C-alpha cells in the first residue's frame, strides 16, 4: 500500500471512526442514563415508557435503523440527514438501549438501606439519585460499559454501507485500488484492536477513579 493511499484514505478513515465512536458514545450515554434511571422511577407510566423504548431499540437492527433514518425519514419529515449523523443517531439510540439496562441493574443493586437513609434525611428523589444511588452504582456499571463501548466501536463499521468514509470504507477503497485484500484488511484488524485496547485502558482508569471516589480500593476490596 502506497503512502498516498495511507494518507488520503486510511488515516482520514481512522479519524472518522474515532469521531463516530465519540459522538455515538456520548448520545448512548445520555440515553442510557436517562432511560435507565426512568426504569427505576416510582411512576408506573414512566417505567412503562422507558421499558417500551428499551425493548423497541434492543429488538431492532442498528443497520436497518440507520437505513430507515437515512432513506425513510426524509420523505416523512421533508429534511435529509447526512449519512454521518444518521449513523450517529442509529448507533447512539440502539446502544443506549443496551446501556439503559446496565444502568437499571446497577441502580437496583444498591442496598435498599441506602435508599431508606436518603428518605430518612428528607432527600428529594433527585437528591437520592445524585448523592446516594449514582455514586455507588456507577463503579458497578463501568466493566459492562467498557464491553458495550468496544461493541459500539466495532459497530461503527456498519456506517461504511452508507458511504461514510470510516476506516472500513477506506479499506474497501484501498482493496479496489490495489486488488490486495490480505494487507489492507490485516492492517484494519490491527487498527480496530489498537483502538479497542485504548478504550479498554481508558475505561479501566475511569473505573478505578470512580471506585476510589466511593472508598473502594482498585483491587476490589473496601478501603479502610
Amino acid at each position: 500500500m502506497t503512502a498516498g493511499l495511507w494518507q488520503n484514505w486510511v488515516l482520514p478513515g481512522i479519524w472518522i471512526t474515532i469521531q463516530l465512536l465519540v459522538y455515538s458514545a456520548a448520545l448512548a450515554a445520555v440515553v442510557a442514563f436517562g432511560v435507565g434511571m426512568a426504569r427505576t422511577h416510582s411512576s408506573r407510566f414512566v417505567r412503562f415508557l422507558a421499558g417500551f423504548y428499551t425493548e423497541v431499540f434492543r429488538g431492532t437492527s442498528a443497520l436497518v435503523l440507520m437505513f430507515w433514518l437515512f432513506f425513510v425519514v426524509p420523505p416523512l419529515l421533508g429534511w435529509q440527514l447526512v449519512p454521518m449523523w444518521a449513523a450517529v443517531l442509529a448507533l447512539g439510540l440502539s446502544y443506549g438501549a443496551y446501556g439503559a439496562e446496565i444502568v437499571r441493574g446497577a441502580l437496583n443493586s444498591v442496598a435498599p438501606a441506602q435508599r431508606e437513609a436518603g428518605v430518612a434525611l428528607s432527600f428529594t428523589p433527585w437528591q437520592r439519585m445524585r448523592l446516594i444511588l449514582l455514586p455507588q452504582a456507577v463503579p458497578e456499571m463501568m466493566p459492562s460499559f467498557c464491553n458495550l463501548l468496544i461493541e459500539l466501536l466495532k459497530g461503527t463499521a456498519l456506517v461504511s454501507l452508507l458511504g461514510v468514509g470510516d476506516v472500513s470504507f477506506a479499506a474497501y477503497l484501498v482493496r479496489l485500488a490495489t486488488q490486495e485484500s490480505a494487507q489492507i484488511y490485516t492492517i484494519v484488524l490491527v487498527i480496530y484492536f489498537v483502538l479497542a485496547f485504548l478504550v479498554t485502558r481508558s475505561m479501566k482508569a475511569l473505573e478505578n477513579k470512580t471506585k476510589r471516589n466511593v472508598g473502594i480500593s482498585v483491587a476490589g476490596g473496601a478501603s479502610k
Side-chain angles (χ1 to χ4, degrees):
M1 184 171 62
T2 65
L5 293 176
W6 180 264
Q7 293 176 1
N8 295 327
W9 288 350
V10 178
L11 287 179
I14 294 173
W15 175 237
I16 290 177
T17 295
I18 293 172
Q19 290 183 75
L20 282 166
L21 176 63
V22 172
Y23 298 151
S24 301
L27 176 59
V30 172
V31 171
F33 278 94
V35 176
M37 289 188 291
R39 293 294 305 272
T40 65
H41 199 274
S42 58
S43 169
R44 181 176 297 181
F45 180 69
V46 172
R47 293 198 306 271
F48 169 79
L49 290 179
F52 180 76
Y53 172 90
T54 302
E55 294 303 323
V56 167
F57 282 90
R58 283 196 309 172
T60 54
S61 165
L63 177 60
V64 175
L65 178 61
M66 202 178 298
F67 286 153
W68 190 86
L69 289 170
F70 187 67
F71 293 111
V72 179
V73 167
L76 291 178
L77 301 181
W79 49 271
Q80 178 74 57
L81 281 171
V82 298
M84 177 79 164
W85 293 114
V88 167
L89 274 176
L91 293 172
L93 294 174
S94 297
Y95 284 86
Y98 291 99
E101 285 300 285
I102 296 173
V103 173
R104 180 191 64 82
L107 289 173
N108 287 337
S109 70
V110 177
Q114 298 292 324
R115 301 173 184 267
E116 295 167 2
V119 174
L121 292 171
S122 299
F123 284 178
T124 64
W126 171 241
Q127 286 176 319
R128 294 198 298 272
M129 180 66 70
R130 181 171 60 89
L131 300 175
I132 298 176
L133 300 179
L134 281 177
Q136 297 181 69
V138 166
E140 301 300 322
M141 303 176 194
M142 299 311 293
S144 297
F145 271 146
C146 180
N147 289 334
L148 190 61
L149 197 55
I150 297 299
E151 290 298 319
L152 176 56
L153 169 63
K154 293 185 288 186
T156 59
L158 296 174
V159 307
S160 62
L161 297 176
L162 287 181
V164 179
D166 73 316
V167 69
S168 299
F169 190 71
Y172 172 73
L173 295 179
V174 170
R175 186 183 69 82
L176 291 180
T178 64
Q179 298 299 311
E180 295 180 1
S181 300
Q183 182 186 31
I184 182 58
Y185 284 119
T186 300
I187 291 173
V188 170
L189 283 176
V190 172
I191 290 171
Y192 275 111
F193 171 77
V194 171
L195 291 175
F197 180 78
L198 293 175
V199 168
T200 300
R201 300 311 301 172
S202 299
M203 292 296 289
K204 184 62 178 178
L206 185 58
E207 178 186 352
N208 292 339
K209 181 178 179 180
T210 58
K211 285 183 176 180
R212 286 193 295 267
N213 288 342
V214 293
I216 301 175
S217 68
V218 295
S223 63
K224 296 181 181 180

